[in-house]
Amino acid sequence: MYRLALPNKGRLHDELSTLLDDAGLPLHKHGERALRAPLGPDAEAIFVRAQDVPELVADGVADAGITGADLVAEAGRPLCELLDLQLGFCRLVVACREDLGVRDVRALRDRPRVATTFPRSAAAWFAGAGLDVEIVPLSGACEIAPHLGLADVVVDLVATGSTLRTNGLRELATIASSTARLYARQSAAANGWLGELVLALDSVVRARDQRYLMANVPKDRIAHVCERLPGLNGPPLGEVVGGGPFVAMHAVVAKAAVPTTIAALRGLGCQGILVTRIERLLP
């Protein structure tokens, strides 16, 4: 029985539940507080703290795990990254009180104290920047530290930065960007089950920002339409029953390009244009 370690709560837990369901691997949890759930016939999901996932995977308790790249970097355990799921985007930033008027981290003087829940990552970044600081490890609520005199600056995780601004803090620098990713131990990276899991999840990730477009195209405009619909390996063609001078063409189009593509196709005399979502897309 293979084990996949997942965050046990929060927005990332919800997003991963949806992703797995879209990949054909629904989590059949027996209640909100369940610690385990079946994940297909040969595997199960175990729900743990997001920061514990790197340790559990590295120690072999779980065969694979999904968590933020920021937490893996902080854990410092050797893991193999199998897939970037492009979920849970956030940044690890340096911030100080807005009323200090500091705009550059290099303007900090007198060995500033840095409050953070990411002491390893913070220490490495400041050392690399050639700045001498004192790291003050905290377990949470870093935003309050500068206002209480516990620290001069904080290194904290942000999504939009609104929490920092609400608490009177200004961003000075970005240490790293992070997304949720699938990890395994180096020795387990070639596992057959892991390969199937990667393929299933990757097919959903690939489809997320793509759309399937179909249109009836005038036969004398096929060459022009091919320039607008590159598709995967060229737009497929099909005869339209009773279509006369039209042929059916379909292709995969980037979601962001759909409006301009439709406008171009209409300008070329295409009809019956249809755009649908794609559940899974295999390379």
Side-chain angles (χ1 to χ4, degrees):
M1 182 66 69
Y2 299 105
R3 286 178 176 169
L4 175 67
L6 299 173
N8 58 0
K9 60 183 178 179
R11 180 170 59 91
L12 183 55
H13 170 85
D14 296 337
E15 291 179 339
L16 291 176
S17 296
T18 300
L19 174 66
L20 287 165
D21 186 63
D22 291 342
L25 298 167
L27 295 172
H28 298 294
K29 296 177 65 176
H30 300 294
E32 288 299 316
R33 297 187 179 183
L35 300 178
R36 302 160 62 184
L39 192 66
D42 303 320
E44 67 174 0
I46 58 174
F47 305 108
V48 299
R49 297 191 312 163
Q51 55 266 46
D52 291 337
V53 171
E55 302 292 343
L56 295 177
V57 175
D59 291 340
V61 176
D63 299 279
I66 298 176
T67 193
D70 55 296
L71 296 175
V72 172
E74 180 63 25
R77 301 298 299 271
L79 296 176
C80 178
E81 180 183 321
L82 301 179
L83 181 65
D84 185 346
L85 302 176
Q86 300 174 30
L87 295 173
F89 176 79
C90 56
R91 295 176 296 119
L92 192 61
V93 304
V94 182
C96 72
R97 283 168 43 189
E98 177 73 44
D99 58 10
L100 293 181
V102 176
R103 297 294 184 269
D104 190 314
V105 68
R106 296 186 179 278
L108 300 170
R109 302 298 181 194
D110 303 324
R111 198 167 186 259
R113 305 182 77 207
V114 181
T116 182
T117 58
F118 293 84
R120 182 195 298 267
S121 300
W125 187 84
F126 280 104
L131 299 173
D132 184 26
V133 301
E134 178 185 351
I135 301 296
V136 181
L138 295 179
S139 58
C142 292
E143 298 91 349
I144 195 64
H147 300 290
L148 298 179
L150 295 175
D152 302 292
V153 297
V154 300
V155 169
D156 204 6
L157 210 58
V158 301
T160 64
S162 61
T163 301
L164 292 182
R165 293 190 293 271
T166 298
N167 288 282
L169 301 178
R170 168 189 289 273
E171 290 186 31
L172 299 179
T174 296
I175 290 180
S177 295
S178 175
T179 51
R181 303 175 190 187
L182 175 66
Y183 293 95
R185 286 173 292 127
Q186 297 286 348
S187 59
N191 182 296
W193 171 77
L194 280 175
E196 294 176 2
L197 179 63
V198 170
L199 185 63
L201 296 179
D202 186 43
S203 69
V204 177
V205 173
R206 286 174 178 271
R208 188 180 296 140
D209 294 323
Q210 304 292 323
R211 295 294 182 265
Y212 187 64
L213 186 147
M214 294 166 280
N216 293 332
V217 178
K219 293 180 178 178
D220 60 351
R221 299 296 179 91
I222 291 177
H224 298 288
V225 172
C226 285
E227 296 176 359
R228 300 295 309 185
L229 293 178
L232 296 177
N233 295 299
L237 297 173
E239 291 294 331
V240 179
V241 177
F246 290 92
V247 293
M249 299 186 70
H250 53 100
V252 175
V253 179
K255 175 183 175 181
V258 167
T260 55
T261 301
I262 290 177
L265 294 180
R266 287 177 60 85
L268 291 170
C270 298
Q271 300 179 5
I273 299 173
L274 176 65
V275 179
T276 66
R277 293 180 181 272
I278 305 172
E279 291 188 1
R280 300 174 67 172
L281 181 62
L282 300 176

